[in-house]
Amino acid sequence: MNEILKKLSAEKDHYKDLFNFMQEAAVIGTWEFYPKTDALSWSDVTKKIHDVQLDYEPNVETAINFYKPGLSISTIQEKLSRALEHGEYFDVELEIITAKGIEKWVRSIGYPVFKDGACIKVFGLFQDITEKTNNALKIKIQEEQFRASFEMAATGMALVDLDGKIFRTNQALAKTLAYTTKELIGIFIKDIVHEDYHDIGNNAADNLLKGHQDVFQHELRYIKKNGQRVWCWSSVSLIRNDRGKPIHFLAHVTDITKTKTSETRIKSLLETTNSQNKRLLNFAHIVSHNLRSHSGNLSILLDLMAVEHPNITQNDYYPLLLKASNNLNETIVNLSEVAVINTEIDQQFTKVKAYDIVEIGIEGLSGQIMDYNVTIKNEINKNITINVILAYFESIVYNILSNAIKYRQKNIDPEIEISHENNEDYHIFHFKDNGLGINLNMHKHKIFGLYKTFHEHEDSRGLGLFLTKNHIEVMGGKITVQSKENLGSTFSIYIKK
Amino acid sequence: MKKLKLTCIIDDDPIFVFTTKKLFDFNNYCESILIYHNGKEALEGLKPIIESNENVPELILLDLNMPIMDGWQFLDEFSKLKCNKKIVLYIVSSSIDPVDIERAKTYREVSNYIIKPITRESLAQIIDSF
């Protein structure tokens, strides 16, 4: 008998332990309240959740005061009084502030027990759900953030299930494809992608599912609701759950029709330019081979005719014919020069001292400098080194200096000043003269054009400036001009650093 | 300077041939002039002359751009002929294409490259070199 009692007692202890263990493990405490005596008792776990000592003795008032002021406290008060008065069961999630001042989310469950129409006891469960609630809140916030960034995104986005059906999408994608978002839901991806790209898409999905690839990116042609095609940059990734099982695809779709169109336009422009270059070479060939031989013949015929029949030179027509022939020759020589510049692309760049090249240019013009009493000040720092095609730079300097002398003012001794300045990208050389100047209002657009002449000068020709501009541009630089009539001109040459 | 016995002009342009002949005549540079209108004609004419080694021209003025056989093709064939006497050959072309000028330098037979029109001065220089 004793043994049986002992065994029962032992089992009872055993169940008690098990019960405590379960409470601890689930962080679920219990409580009991007897309205008649106002006695409240808490289990150990309940006490632990409140952060009080195990010998703490709660009463209804202190217990309620643990609830966070506001919604939590008013809710528990209401629930408890309804349980006591009407026998209503309650199950609420509320916030408490523990004895240590820590805020916790708790689930409080209460079962009222009635006897003879009066409540004799309320017993309940008390569970710490802080972590769970915080996680839920976090997820809720994340979900909200995702929703906002998904729906407001400037790029088209879609969540696509593993069968290839869209189940969520945004405004941007709907706009690109001229659908409404509602219409897109339930549509298969293959129905909005051009059939030429179905194989690529299927392969990509396969690779993503097999884990061969993390993300698939490609230019794809989509089909709008109205049947029009639209080029889009697509980026698709596979979303997996925490166990690595695929859940759905996330697709980003950006309309690149504009980029695509301008790309095509650039390509066709390039082709045009290439064919124009070829024609120019052809033109250079015609100039050098055909035109030159005819004009050369003409001038040699005139020359020999004068030797053989000297009296013919007395004819009024002869000097005019000779002049026309000479002009023709000169024009052809100049045209050939231009053609040659445009075909000699692989000229070598060398490092030279700008000061020295200008001095060489001045030396080359020494005859004219003496004849017209020209003063030239070369104020370039002697150490400035530039990287140029030497022949071009020499020709540029020579052309600008000789122009400055050629277009001098009558009765004023020509003065030319050459200076240098730096900016981030260029060496800038200024050639300032006190010559005739150019009416830029009238001539600005044609100043560097082929055969544009703006001075009534005996041997004026615009070719020099045209060549100069060409030379500078071939070296990646530029030329600008400032000028006032009868005051002079300043040509500024930009040489790339 | 000496007077040449025989000069050969290979050019399809009648005006060039006419004026060059005139220049030779005025200055009394040469006794006689041999004229061919393209490379093939010249090759067929010069081959027996060179092989017989008699009346070989001392100077050849060669145009590049000609029908049937151009100056380059002529040069390729001409360089295969064995000749005991010295023949001075000038290319006289209206081409100012640097590619042509460079190519001319690769032929041992070519003394110089003259850009048309040939003038009294440039011809005088050629004759002076003899």
Side-chain angles (χ1 to χ4, degrees):
Chain A
M1 186 71 186
N2 260 346
E3 293 220 333
I4 293 171
L5 276 175
K6 232 184 210 168
K7 199 180 171 190
L8 274 175
S9 170
E11 266 177 17
K12 198 182 159 196
D13 285 347
H14 174 72
Y15 282 118
K16 202 179 165 193
D17 286 346
L18 185 66
F19 187 60
N20 280 336
F21 171 74
M22 280 165 60
Q23 282 203 26
E24 297 263 358
V27 206
I28 295 175
T30 55
W31 54 272
E32 285 172 37
F33 174 60
Y34 300 90
K36 210 175 170 183
T37 55
D38 242 4
L40 176 66
S41 71
W42 284 354
S43 74
D44 288 355
V45 172
T46 304
K47 286 176 185 168
K48 274 183 190 160
I49 293 171
H50 284 88
D51 285 334
V52 294
Q53 301 292 324
L54 291 182
D55 55 6
Y56 180 80
E57 286 183 8
N59 59 45
V60 173
E61 201 182 331
T62 52
I64 284 177
N65 278 336
F66 273 102
Y67 286 86
K68 200 174 170 182
L71 186 68
S72 290
I73 212 165
S74 59
T75 305
I76 194 66
Q77 277 170 339
E78 193 203 328
K79 292 289 178 191
L80 188 63
S81 69
R82 289 181 81 93
L84 293 169
E85 282 164 35
H86 306 294
E88 283 178 19
Y89 148 83
F90 68 84
D91 181 351
V92 287
E93 291 183 357
L94 298 170
E95 279 177 284
I96 60 164
I97 298 169
T98 68
K100 288 181 180 164
I102 296 166
E103 290 187 15
K104 283 182 182 171
W105 279 94
V106 294
R107 182 180 178 186
S108 189
I109 299 170
Y111 291 98
V113 180
F114 270 64
K115 198 178 178 188
D116 302 332
C119 182
I120 53 159
K121 175 182 173 184
V122 184
F123 70 92
L125 297 173
F126 198 76
Q127 183 184 10
D128 184 349
I129 55 165
T130 309
E131 202 171 314
K132 185 190 119 197
T133 311
N134 281 349
N135 281 344
L137 276 175
K138 234 185 256 168
I139 288 165
K140 208 174 161 193
I141 289 166
Q142 281 170 346
E143 168 66 16
E144 180 58 29
Q145 282 170 341
F146 174 72
R147 192 192 63 79
S149 55
F150 186 87
E151 276 166 18
M152 302 300 154
T155 50
M157 288 168 94
L159 297 183
V160 180
D161 68 21
L162 299 178
D163 297 328
K165 210 195 290 175
I166 296 175
F167 65 91
R168 195 166 162 181
T169 184
N170 68 355
Q171 204 55 49
L173 182 63
K175 202 178 154 202
T176 301
L177 300 176
Y179 282 90
T180 65
T181 44
K182 253 189 202 159
E183 286 170 334
L184 278 177
I185 305 290
I187 282 187
F188 283 96
I189 279 288
K190 67 176 171 55
D191 293 333
I192 53 167
V193 170
H194 191 277
E195 59 181 343
D196 289 356
Y197 294 92
H198 285 178
D199 286 348
I200 295 178
N202 288 336
N203 265 337
D206 226 40
N207 281 337
L208 289 169
L209 286 166
K210 284 177 184 160
H212 295 330
Q213 207 177 341
D214 290 333
V215 62
F216 160 75
Q217 293 183 318
H218 208 284
E219 278 176 20
L220 299 178
R221 277 187 111 172
Y222 285 75
I223 299 168
K224 290 193 189 182
K225 193 182 175 187
N226 62 13
Q228 279 181 353
R229 283 108 197 252
V230 52
W231 276 107
C232 292
W233 174 253
S234 308
S235 171
V236 182
S237 44
L238 180 65
I239 309 295
R240 295 171 187 272
N241 68 11
D242 54 2
R243 289 183 307 280
K245 195 175 167 254
I247 325 173
H248 58 77
F249 297 103
L250 170 63
H252 291 253
V253 180
T254 315
D255 184 350
I256 53 163
T257 308
K258 269 189 195 154
T259 331
K260 219 40 194 176
T261 320
S262 47
E263 195 183 300
T264 320
R265 204 179 301 140
I266 287 167
K267 267 187 194 154
S268 87
L269 257 178
L270 199 68
E271 271 165 29
T272 312
T273 316
N274 274 338
S275 82
Q276 277 174 347
N277 267 344
K278 268 184 205 147
R279 255 179 284 159
L280 189 67
L281 270 171
N282 217 354
F283 169 74
H285 198 75
I286 290 168
V287 166
S288 84
H289 280 85
N290 303 4
L291 278 180
R292 290 192 79 257
S293 59
H294 300 316
S295 73
N297 279 339
L298 204 54
S299 65
I300 196 84
L301 280 170
L302 285 165
D303 188 33
L304 290 175
M305 190 158 73
V307 177
E308 205 168 338
H309 309 283
N311 57 333
I312 219 164
T313 57
Q314 304 307 311
N315 189 301
D316 287 348
Y317 284 94
Y318 187 81
L320 294 174
L321 266 173
L322 195 64
K323 189 164 193 239
S325 163
N326 286 342
N327 286 348
L328 181 61
N329 271 334
E330 200 191 337
T331 305
I332 289 168
V333 168
N334 291 338
L335 274 178
S336 319
E337 263 182 72
V338 176
V340 169
I341 285 191
N342 281 301
T343 52
E344 283 175 20
I345 319 143
D346 47 343
Q347 286 276 10
Q348 290 291 310
F349 277 79
T350 45
K351 284 202 160 81
V352 294
K353 290 208 155 69
Y355 177 90
D356 295 345
I357 306 303
V358 171
E359 284 299 306
I360 291 169
I362 294 170
E363 220 175 277
L365 289 160
S366 55
Q368 293 186 42
I369 290 171
M370 292 233 292
D371 289 350
Y372 304 116
N373 201 21
V374 184
T375 315
I376 301 186
K377 287 186 208 157
N378 180 1
E379 291 182 345
I380 302 170
N381 182 316
K382 288 185 184 171
N383 296 320
I384 299 290
T385 310
I386 52 174
N387 197 20
V388 289
I389 299 168
L390 184 57
Y392 286 3
F393 191 69
E394 281 176 348
S395 148
I396 292 161
V397 169
Y398 182 88
N399 262 319
I400 290 183
L401 289 177
S402 67
N403 267 349
I405 299 173
K406 196 186 285 173
Y407 304 120
R408 66 194 174 273
Q409 296 200 51
K410 275 181 193 167
N411 311 325
I412 298 179
D413 285 344
E415 281 177 20
I416 305 166
E417 195 180 296
I418 305 136
S419 58
H420 165 261
E421 70 171 307
N422 261 316
N423 76 14
E424 223 168 276
D425 305 315
Y426 296 100
H427 285 288
I428 309 163
F429 298 95
H430 303 289
F431 291 73
K432 184 171 181 282
D433 66 48
N434 62 346
L436 291 170
I438 303 154
N439 185 335
L440 288 178
N441 288 333
M442 280 173 69
H443 300 299
K444 185 147 195 171
H445 300 295
K446 42 188 183 180
I447 187 163
F448 297 110
L450 193 56
Y451 278 87
K452 302 291 183 192
T453 305
F454 7 85
H455 299 287
E456 292 169 17
H457 190 277
E458 49 181 306
D459 52 79
S460 63
R461 49 195 178 105
L463 191 83
L465 280 180
F466 175 80
L467 280 181
T468 297
K469 184 171 189 272
N470 250 276
H471 279 137
I472 294 172
E473 283 173 356
V474 166
M475 297 188 295
K478 58 183 180 180
I479 179 168
T480 62
V481 60
Q482 284 181 308
S483 189
K484 277 225 168 88
E485 270 186 300
N486 300 322
L487 284 172
S489 312
T490 303
F491 285 90
S492 303
I493 295 168
Y494 291 68
I495 301 291
K496 251 201 145 99
K497 281 190 173 173
Chain B
M1 189 190 111
K2 65 164 201 176
K3 190 171 176 178
L4 302 181
K5 279 221 161 54
L6 181 63
T7 296
C8 172
I9 300 175
I10 307 169
D11 200 312
D12 63 319
D13 178 2
I15 299 178
F16 175 81
V17 173
F18 173 82
T19 53
T20 311
K21 252 175 86 178
K22 284 279 181 192
L23 283 174
F24 272 92
D25 292 348
F26 288 161
N27 298 293
N28 211 8
Y29 285 148
C30 191
E31 279 172 19
S32 55
I33 294 175
L34 202 56
I35 292 160
Y36 299 111
H37 296 99
N38 64 61
K40 187 160 181 274
E41 216 183 281
L43 201 67
E44 283 167 0
L46 287 173
K47 208 171 168 183
I49 294 177
I50 288 172
E51 279 166 358
S52 70
N53 210 12
E54 269 172 48
N55 287 329
V56 178
E58 294 156 276
L59 172 66
I60 296 177
L61 301 180
L62 174 68
D63 185 27
L64 288 179
N65 205 8
M66 290 181 292
I68 306 173
M69 182 190 263
D70 68 17
W72 301 119
Q73 291 168 314
F74 169 81
L75 272 175
D76 290 335
E77 294 303 317
F78 179 73
S79 59
K80 291 176 193 162
L81 299 176
K82 297 257 186 308
C83 183
N84 297 325
K85 294 209 172 107
K86 188 178 186 258
I87 302 175
V88 177
L89 190 148
Y90 282 83
I91 288 177
V92 183
S93 168
S94 53
S95 169
I96 53 163
D97 193 334
V99 175
D100 285 339
I101 297 171
E102 285 305 311
R103 186 171 169 192
K105 287 180 185 165
T106 64
Y107 287 91
R108 203 167 35 86
E109 293 77 14
V110 177
S111 294
N112 210 341
Y113 189 107
I114 293 169
I115 292 167
K116 281 183 184 174
I118 197 163
T119 59
R120 271 182 281 175
E121 294 77 22
S122 53
L123 192 57
Q125 271 180 15
I126 294 174
I127 303 300
D128 276 347
S129 68
F130 280 92

